[in-house]
Amino acid sequence: MKEFFILEGAYLFFAAVILAVTTYIATRPFMGKGTLKKALSAVFLFLALAIGLHYYITKSRMASVAKAFEEGEEVLCENRIYTKGAHFVTVKNNGEWRLQNDYFVSPNYTRNFFLARCIKR
């Protein structure tokens, strides 16, 4: 459950804002009776499906990246720290990198790279 909130926390916040705006608009005097219930149901269902699908796709990609790393393939990870250099770091299971709790860790880098921000090459 913690991992879900880590991966989808920002999207859950945006969904709450969208539901609040939907509630505000649906309760205006010019809206018809039953609009609030219909609008909230439709918007909530759409947001729940979208967030759930995004979580499923992200977890699937993370599993495929971890498998590729274990098999010795190269993995590209987003590099947000060094903006003047390369935007990606190449990670390979050559003894320098290891996979530890969904993070790629190396003694040569000051930060770890989260598995969800990586793709197979």
Side-chain angles (χ1 to χ4, degrees):
M1 191 63 146
K2 178 183 174 185
E3 185 177 64
F4 175 77
F5 287 114
I6 289 172
L7 292 173
E8 304 300 323
Y11 298 114
L12 292 171
F13 174 76
F14 290 134
V17 170
I18 291 169
L19 287 171
V21 169
T22 302
T23 302
Y24 177 77
I25 292 171
T27 56
R28 299 296 90 205
F30 55 84
M31 298 303 283
K33 277 193 169 188
T35 303
L36 178 63
K37 186 177 179 180
K38 291 176 190 175
L40 281 180
S41 298
V43 172
F44 179 81
L45 181 64
F46 172 76
L47 291 172
L49 287 173
I51 291 171
L53 183 63
H54 182 266
Y55 178 72
Y56 174 76
I57 290 170
T58 302
K59 287 298 291 176
S60 298
R61 188 181 72 246
M62 287 172 65
S64 70
V65 167
K67 183 179 176 187
F69 176 77
E70 295 298 332
E71 293 174 353
E73 296 180 40
E74 287 186 343
V75 174
L76 294 176
C77 292
E78 185 178 20
N79 187 4
R80 292 182 176 178
I81 293 244
Y82 306 112
T83 57
K84 294 185 180 183
H87 293 285
F88 293 97
V89 172
T90 303
V91 175
K92 190 169 183 175
N93 193 358
N94 57 5
E96 177 185 348
W97 292 94
R98 68 184 190 283
L99 185 58
Q100 182 179 30
N101 298 331
D102 290 336
Y103 287 92
F104 288 117
V105 179
S106 172
N108 297 330
Y109 284 85
T110 57
R111 72 181 289 260
N112 303 331
F113 294 95
F114 188 42
L115 195 60
R117 305 292 171 241
C118 300
I119 58 172
K120 293 189 304 185
R121 186 163 201 183

